[in-house]
Amino acid sequence: MARTAAGQAEILRAWHWAPALAFVLLASGLAFGCAEQQPAVASEIRPVRYARAFLAGNERARTFAGVAQAASEQDLAFRVAGTVIAVEVEVGSQIRRGQVLAQLDSGDLELKRQQAEAGVAQAHAQARNARAAYERVVALYEGGIASMSDLDAARAAYESANASEKSAATALRLAEQQVAYARLAAPDDGSVAQVAVDVNEAVGAGQPVIVVIDTQGSPEVRVMVPEAFIGGLKAGRSAQVVFGAVPDRVFDATVAEVGTAAAGAAGFPALVRLNATPDAAAVRPGMAAEVTFAVEGRPDASGVLVPPEAVGQDQKGRFVFVLALAASDNAPEAGNIATAERRNVRTGALTPEGLEVVDGVSDGEYVATAGLAMLAPGQRVRLLAAP
């Protein structure tokens, strides 16, 4: 019995420690499994957008959106009212100077011309009769038969008849012009851009019916320039124009006009004229364009300017991430790999051109403009296409 009791006590002690032992073994197994299954943390190459810092007083390139237009665009209209009886062209037609584009029903105008012709004939007859009467009175006066009052009356009638004849001739010329105005002719060589009327449609005098563009001159691009840059843009400066509809082609151009008054909130209008090249024929009015030209900086400005979104702030103060390119990369392009370097900066005034950085960034350096909170010093990043 004593041996049996001792065995039972040993069994009870084993059961007492069994849960603790099982927990230790389970924890060891889990730790070993986690140690085997946990992968190594790979360095992430995060894509970022970027911008270039520039000195506030330096000349720099700026790009603005624009729309192509013809060198000359004319809204043609009839000079008389009437009903259209013929449209001789359609959109896209090439036209020559003097070519008839459309015609009005000139029946009523022709009747007025005939009436004016009759008036000329009548006035001519009256003038001839008055001349003969005047010559007779002159002869009678010289013979002492007619009085001075008779001579004056005959002279007045003759002069009045001559004036009436001239008036009738003028009315005839006007009537003939009205008939001619029923034919709409091309003022110059070009191309038809729009036809706004159909046959049997009534139109008023001066109502635009056909739009003609000049296809011989160099195409132009009209852009709106913000007020912050209009002061640095001068006529005669060179520019580069890119059209989405004409890929892989950069057109050289010249700033032809710079507006002196703002066109609403959009900014100041400027006109850029493409240089005459055979490729310019591929540009058509209405094409969207991007125009890049050099804008002069303000001579009184100082400091380096960056986009406001490039500057972050935390407990350590304001900072930027400067993107250092590999030595083989001379200029940033989409897909380049760079290293992010955090720099504390001291900022100045916020200008329409950007935020002034007094210390911490140099002219020409590239800074990240998005996702600053996700970057870390020394992190490798991939440059996205500049917006």
Side-chain angles (χ1 to χ4, degrees):
M1 289 294 294
R3 186 174 183 179
T4 302
Q8 289 179 350
E10 185 176 352
I11 292 174
L12 289 175
R13 285 193 300 271
W15 278 104
H16 177 74
W17 290 102
L21 180 61
F23 176 78
V24 172
L25 293 176
L26 179 60
S28 300
L30 289 175
F32 179 75
C34 291
E36 288 186 340
Q37 296 177 7
Q38 184 174 3
V41 178
S43 59
E44 180 183 4
I45 300 180
R46 182 177 298 279
V48 296
R49 295 197 179 276
Y50 66 92
R52 183 174 182 174
F54 59 90
L55 286 176
N58 280 6
E59 181 178 278
R60 58 204 175 278
R62 285 289 179 178
T63 301
F64 303 98
V67 178
Q69 64 182 32
S72 173
E73 180 176 307
Q74 303 178 53
D75 296 335
L76 304 184
F78 290 104
R79 299 177 66 174
V80 294
T83 302
V84 179
I85 61 172
V87 178
E88 308 291 348
V89 293
E90 57 186 14
V91 175
S93 298
Q94 299 297 316
I95 58 176
R96 309 297 274 173
R97 180 184 178 90
Q99 178 181 342
V100 176
L101 308 180
Q103 297 186 57
L104 295 178
D105 182 3
S106 60
D108 294 343
L109 299 175
E110 182 64 28
L111 291 176
K112 291 181 179 180
R113 188 191 67 80
Q114 294 175 5
Q115 184 180 19
E117 281 185 341
V120 168
Q122 181 180 8
H124 181 67
Q126 292 175 350
R128 186 173 59 248
N129 185 36
R131 179 181 180 83
Y134 174 65
E135 290 176 349
R136 286 194 298 270
V137 172
V138 169
L140 293 174
Y141 177 76
E142 290 176 349
I145 300 175
S147 64
M148 178 61 71
S149 61
D150 294 335
L151 180 62
D152 292 341
R155 182 187 296 113
Y158 172 56
E159 293 176 351
S160 177
N162 283 340
S164 298
E165 184 179 21
K166 292 180 180 178
S167 178
T170 301
L172 176 60
R173 288 196 297 269
L174 290 175
E176 290 173 343
Q177 287 182 348
Q178 296 290 302
V179 174
Y181 291 157
R183 294 158 53 94
L184 185 62
D188 293 298
D189 297 348
S191 176
V192 177
Q194 182 180 357
V195 178
V197 294
D198 293 320
V199 175
N200 297 325
E201 184 175 344
V203 298
Q207 175 185 341
V209 295
I210 295 177
V211 179
V212 175
I213 60 174
D214 177 16
T215 57
Q216 304 300 319
S218 298
E220 301 172 344
V221 178
R222 183 163 295 277
V223 298
M224 301 304 296
V225 181
E227 62 179 64
F229 307 105
I230 193 64
L233 184 62
K234 307 297 182 183
R237 283 180 166 267
S238 61
Q240 288 74 44
V241 184
V242 176
F243 298 92
V246 188
D248 303 326
R249 182 71 175 89
V250 179
F251 295 88
D252 293 328
T254 304
V255 179
E257 300 176 5
V258 178
T260 56
F268 290 76
L271 186 67
V272 176
R273 183 173 295 117
L274 271 61
N275 297 343
T277 60
D279 293 341
V283 178
R284 299 187 178 184
M287 285 184 175
E290 290 186 350
V291 183
T292 302
F293 36 58
V295 178
E296 294 179 354
R298 300 195 310 269
D300 59 337
S302 62
V304 175
L305 298 179
V306 299
E309 58 270 20
V311 179
Q313 185 170 1
D314 57 13
Q315 296 178 348
K316 297 180 181 180
R318 294 187 175 183
F319 64 92
V320 299
F321 275 102
V322 176
L323 306 178
L325 297 171
S328 59
D329 294 330
N330 296 326
E333 295 180 357
N336 285 161
I337 302 300
T339 302
E341 176 189 350
R342 174 179 168 136
R343 293 186 191 172
N344 293 331
V345 296
R346 190 160 51 91
T347 59
L350 177 62
T351 72
E353 299 169 300
L355 179 61
E356 182 182 10
V357 176
V358 179
D359 183 31
V361 181
S362 300
D363 177 40
E365 290 188 311
Y366 298 94
V367 295
T369 58
L372 303 184
M374 306 299 294
L375 295 179
Q379 184 176 1
R380 302 177 68 203
V381 296
R382 178 179 291 106
L383 302 185
L384 294 177

